[in-house]
């Protein structure tokens, strides 16, 4: 039993280390932003689902903030249905790439 616990602990450490090693590539995100620009790329855009609200612009936000927000949608800590669906389809590399891309925008 102890061997299994040690192995699981090591797997968790290795998995965490690889996630921390992911570096965003803004150029790679150019092929991934199409799912974002329909809402986040329109100045003053207001969405009407599930209620009317002002959609935030992503350009110029910090990469850490964007990554944190997308991971929160994946985990269900943020509850917007459309964003939860989009975030669920993203890999950790996709998230890092999108965060790098939008953090470099003005």
């Amino acid at each position: 039993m102890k061997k299994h616990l040690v192995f699981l602990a090591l797997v968790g450490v290795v998995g965490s280390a690889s996630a921390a090693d992911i570096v965003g590539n803004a150029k790679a995100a150019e092929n991934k932003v199409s799912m974002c620009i329909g809402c986040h790329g329109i100045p003053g855009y207001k969405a009407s689902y599930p209620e009317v609200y002002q959609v935030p612009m992503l350009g110029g936000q910090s990469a850490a903030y964007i990554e944190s927000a997308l991971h929160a949608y994946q985990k269900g800590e943020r509850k917007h249905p459309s964003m939860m669906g989009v975030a669920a389809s993203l890999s950790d590399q996709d998230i890092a790439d999108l965060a790098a891309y939008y953090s470099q925008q003005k």
Side-chain angles (χ1 to χ4, degrees):
M1 180 70 165
K2 279 187 174 183
K3 289 180 185 178
H4 293 291
L5 293 176
V6 170
F7 175 74
L8 291 173
L10 288 174
V11 169
V13 169
V14 171
S16 296
S18 64
D21 294 338
I22 294 173
V23 176
N25 179 341
K27 188 75 174 160
E30 291 176 2
N31 295 323
K32 301 174 184 179
V33 297
S34 61
M35 67 185 134
C36 308
I37 60 176
C39 296
H40 293 283
I42 303 170
Y45 182 70
K46 293 183 181 178
S48 60
Y49 178 80
E51 59 191 46
V52 176
Y53 67 96
Q54 183 76 33
V55 175
M57 296 299 290
L58 296 179
Q61 296 283 353
S62 76
Y65 172 77
I66 294 170
E67 287 185 38
S68 175
L70 288 170
H71 285 296
Y73 283 118
Q74 283 182 328
K75 294 175 189 171
E77 295 167 355
R78 285 189 173 203
K79 301 287 186 192
H80 189 276
S82 297
M83 284 303 305
M84 290 173 74
V86 169
S89 73
L90 300 174
S91 69
D92 287 341
Q93 185 64 61
D94 293 335
I95 289 173
D97 293 346
L98 290 167
Y101 177 86
Y102 279 110
S103 70
Q104 294 177 8
Q105 304 298 305
K106 299 288 178 192

